[in-house]
Amino acid sequence: MTLYEFLQLSEEKQRELLPALKILKPIPNYTRKRWFKKRTHGVKESITELTFGEVNSVKRLVMRETTEDLLRAFEIVYKCKARDVIRMEVIQFYRCMIFITNEVDKVIKMEQQHWNTESTDYDIKLQQAGVKDLEKFGDLPMIDSLAGGDILRYNDIEKLNYLEVHYILWYRAIQTNIQNRFQKLMVNK
């Protein structure tokens, strides 16, 4: 059964089939045969093989949880078109979607673990000043920081490999933590 056929089923029938689909083994890629050519879609092992911009887009789309956004995330990870997705076997589609959601969870946990900076008195003042207002801009403040405020370099940052950018941000978080601890030591001296 194709995804299109599955979506044509009644909601009751879909709910009946979902438990079986949710326990499928995730797949990072699949091969599609077209005429005499075979083409592999997806990544080798992880979405961190994609660009920084692609990974951030996939994270945002998966968190929204709408059907359109999930299909768009699928298109980004597996480098295919919507018409190809709708023609896929529903089992293959769900295996791919399980992979995407698992990978997004891993990336979010990795970012929280690596990019976390220790709280300081300065952070409390920033909170009071309204730094939370920047959250509506998503990744823009991070990209702006990496681009050194140069708007013309934003696209260049987003085209970099995700892991390259991740390591730079991890390095900066560690560096910030060391500087904060050093300042506390100097104040307490």
Side-chain angles (χ1 to χ4, degrees), residues 10 47 62 70 76 82 104 182 186:
S10 67
I47 64 170
V62 168
L70 292 173
I76 293 170
V104 167
F182 181 73
M186 295 307 288

Side-chain angles (χ1 to χ4, degrees), residues 43 46-59 76-77 79 107 111 139 154-166:
V43 295
S46 172
I47 64 170
T48 58
E49 298 165 28
L50 300 173
T51 67
F52 184 68
E54 289 171 332
V55 171
N56 284 332
S57 293
V58 169
K59 284 187 332 191
I76 293 170
V77 173
K79 307 277 191 246
V107 166
E111 289 175 356
D139 302 320
Y154 286 8
N155 287 337
D156 294 337
I157 300 296
E158 288 195 324
K159 289 178 187 173
L160 290 172
N161 176 277
Y162 173 80
L163 285 177
E164 290 175 13
V165 177
H166 178 83

Side-chain angles (χ1 to χ4, degrees), residues 4-155:
Y4 178 76
E5 293 166 343
F6 176 78
L7 294 173
Q8 297 303 310
L9 296 173
S10 67
E11 277 189 46
E12 184 180 311
K13 188 69 176 168
Q14 285 180 13
R15 268 192 237 114
E16 208 175 284
L17 294 171
L18 275 177
L21 293 172
K22 288 183 179 180
I23 61 168
L24 294 170
K25 182 182 175 195
I27 55 172
N29 56 56
Y30 67 91
T31 303
R32 183 165 176 250
K33 296 173 187 169
R34 192 171 198 176
W35 297 96
F36 298 108
K37 295 180 182 178
K38 285 184 179 181
R39 182 153 183 243
T40 301
H41 295 269
V43 295
K44 289 179 186 165
E45 295 177 17
S46 172
I47 64 170
T48 58
E49 298 165 28
L50 300 173
T51 67
F52 184 68
E54 289 171 332
V55 171
N56 284 332
S57 293
V58 169
K59 284 187 332 191
R60 255 191 325 274
L61 292 166
V62 168
M63 285 190 251
R64 288 186 197 148
E65 295 180 338
T66 67
T67 303
E68 294 83 17
D69 288 334
L70 292 173
L71 287 173
R72 181 69 191 116
F74 189 101
E75 291 173 30
I76 293 170
V77 173
Y78 290 94
K79 307 277 191 246
C80 61
K81 296 183 174 132
R83 72 170 191 265
D84 298 327
V85 177
I86 209 77
R87 293 177 187 163
M88 286 181 81
E89 290 295 315
V90 72
I91 290 174
Q92 188 176 43
F93 173 77
Y94 266 88
R95 290 179 72 190
C96 293
M97 284 310 302
I98 292 167
F99 172 77
I100 292 172
T101 54
N102 289 349
E103 284 294 304
V104 167
D105 289 343
K106 286 179 192 174
V107 166
I108 289 170
K109 286 177 187 169
M110 182 173 67
E111 289 175 356
Q112 288 172 344
Q113 181 183 0
H114 291 168
W115 299 350
N116 214 6
T117 55
E118 297 165 4
S119 182
T120 63
D121 296 335
Y122 183 69
D123 291 337
I124 295 166
K125 291 178 183 171
L126 278 173
Q127 295 292 333
Q128 292 170 344
V131 76
K132 287 272 187 201
D133 292 342
L134 292 175
E135 287 180 3
K136 63 183 155 201
F137 296 104
D139 302 320
L140 183 61
M142 186 176 9
I143 293 168
D144 184 63
S145 170
L146 290 167
D150 184 356
I151 193 170
L152 300 175
R153 294 187 54 219
Y154 286 8
N155 287 337

